[in-house]
Amino acid sequence: MTHASAPGKIILFGEHAVVYGRPALAVPVTQVHADVEVTDSPRAGIWVHAPEVNLHAELASLPSDHPLASVLHNFFFAFGISPFPSLNIAISSTIPVASGLGSGAAVTVALVRALSAHFDTSMTDEQVNAFAYEIEKLHHGTPSGIDNTVIAYARPVYFIKDRPIETFSAGRPFTLLIADTGIPAPTKESVGDLRKLWQADQTRWEKVFDQVEVISKQAKEKIERGQIDSLGELMNQNHALLQEMTVSSPELDRLVEAARRSGASGAKMSGGGRGGNMIAIVEQEQAAAVAEALKSAGAKRTIATTVA
Ligand code: MEV
């Protein structure tokens, strides 16, 4: 039996603009994770069990473009494993689906690593990442690659599409509260809707993405220098631009407002938007009060995480 695990992720700055070549910052969230166990099976076939998404199926019965089927086919093809072995694959995850925490990418990364361990193939983080990016394209259409990158490397990442990976670390640790609207929202839809707006008026949206770029660059500098006090204002500015992109929602806006009112120095939606999660930056001693305010404003759960 082999086992592998992968963390969730949260985007601090720059989502959506990152699809258009601007930088974004994201960090792993180890409080949630996807776990995969691979065992040889006495029964013929490759049986996939993923109770969180109600999936109990043999590989051949899954559509060929199903992300899990694609991971398995791509893996066996890449390593010349034929005929297909008989396996049981158990997938579990504490990462809510379609919530901006990278559930799809985390399952892929954990599955690839568990298969790699099972078949004794050694894969670098870079190979796992490249593999996961191909699968992200099935989930999202035109992904930037930030989700698979931060999850495959499990490090804070300053990400620019098609550029070598750049990590960052905080000059002074800071606390983030992540709050879930409980509304699942597929990234593919918000990314697709924004693409339609961009196609209709590229000049306007490129300017908006430029403004996000300035924010992401400033945020990286401030995080690295430990100038945490000014990050909240940058989050507020980034949220306003995401609202303009039409990817926020009334539920996200309500949580963002509640966080600001209850003492967070700034807050924004995170990830694809329209639902899913938001983040707030807080002093550690305020975290409990802000978490309480978020719950009163409708958050289904909150996670406190430290960026170190
Ligand atoms: C999704 O976590 C982040 C987006 O920027 C999409 C992407 O980068 O592929 C919305």
Side-chain angles (χ1 to χ4, degrees):
M1 193 264 279
T2 54
H3 167 258
S5 186
K9 71 97 211 329
I10 196 89
I11 295 185
L12 305 185
F13 293 95
E15 53 275 272
H16 284 287
V18 69
V19 174
Y20 298 83
R22 302 329 191 265
L25 287 88
V27 295
V29 178
T30 51
Q31 287 87 348
V32 287
H33 42 87
D35 290 87
V36 175
E37 268 180 23
V38 177
T39 40
D40 290 321
S41 167
R43 178 163 67 145
I46 297 177
W47 294 87
V48 184
H49 306 281
E52 275 91 11
V53 290
N54 249 323
L55 178 75
H56 300 277
E58 206 282 310
L59 174 60
S61 71
L62 293 174
S64 60
D65 63 349
H66 188 287
L68 292 174
S70 303
V71 175
L72 290 160
H73 284 131
N74 290 5
F75 183 86
F76 295 136
F77 180 76
F79 293 100
I81 298 168
S82 173
F84 285 0
S86 295
L87 297 174
N88 265 321
I89 297 176
I91 300 174
S92 62
S93 173
T94 57
I95 311 174
V97 174
S99 71
L101 291 174
S103 61
V107 167
T108 302
V109 166
L111 178 54
V112 170
R113 290 220 166 102
L115 289 167
S116 172
H118 195 82
F119 292 98
D120 242 345
T121 63
S122 69
M123 289 177 82
T124 61
D125 287 346
E126 202 179 345
Q127 286 171 312
V128 171
N129 190 31
F131 207 102
Y133 184 49
E134 290 309 307
I135 306 302
E136 281 292 281
K137 290 182 191 165
L138 299 173
H139 281 288
H140 292 330
T142 56
S144 63
I146 190 169
D147 290 11
N148 48 277
T149 301
V150 67
I151 288 167
Y153 287 87
R155 299 273 314 269
V157 168
Y158 179 75
F159 181 87
I160 304 176
K161 197 176 164 185
D162 299 328
R163 294 261 190 93
I165 168 162
E166 195 179 327
T167 58
F168 69 90
S169 47
R172 181 159 79 81
F174 59 95
T175 304
L176 280 181
L177 272 178
I178 304 170
D180 195 348
T181 60
I183 300 169
T187 303
K188 199 173 184 165
E189 283 174 21
S190 58
V191 169
D193 288 351
L194 182 56
R195 184 160 295 275
K196 282 183 205 135
L197 293 176
W198 174 80
Q199 278 161 346
D201 189 349
Q202 295 193 14
T203 316
R204 171 181 176 195
W205 293 106
E206 288 295 328
K207 278 191 197 134
V208 173
F209 301 148
D210 284 344
Q211 287 173 269
V212 178
E213 173 165 20
V214 172
I215 292 171
S216 291
K217 284 182 170 163
Q218 283 180 3
K220 175 175 182 272
E221 263 181 47
K222 290 190 186 300
I223 290 172
E224 287 182 324
R225 290 187 188 152
Q227 295 167 342
I228 304 308
D229 296 350
S230 42
L231 281 183
E233 181 47 31
L234 291 177
M235 280 191 182
N236 294 343
Q237 289 171 14
N238 195 166
H239 185 71
L241 293 168
L242 288 158
Q243 286 175 313
E244 196 175 335
M245 293 177 214
T246 75
V247 295
S248 191
S249 70
E251 295 82 4
L252 282 165
D253 292 346
R254 195 174 318 129
L255 295 186
V256 164
E257 280 306 318
R260 291 174 188 160
R261 267 202 316 271
S262 58
S265 63
K268 63 182 274 295
M269 54 151 276
S270 176
R274 302 263 171 86
N277 279 276
M278 53 74 71
I279 52 173
I281 185 158
V282 291
E283 294 296 337
Q284 216 160 20
E285 52 277 15
Q286 294 168 322
V290 178
E292 210 40 58
L294 285 165
K295 287 212 176 104
S296 304
K300 295 294 172 283
R301 73 165 173 178
T302 59
I303 299 171
T305 191
T306 302
V307 181

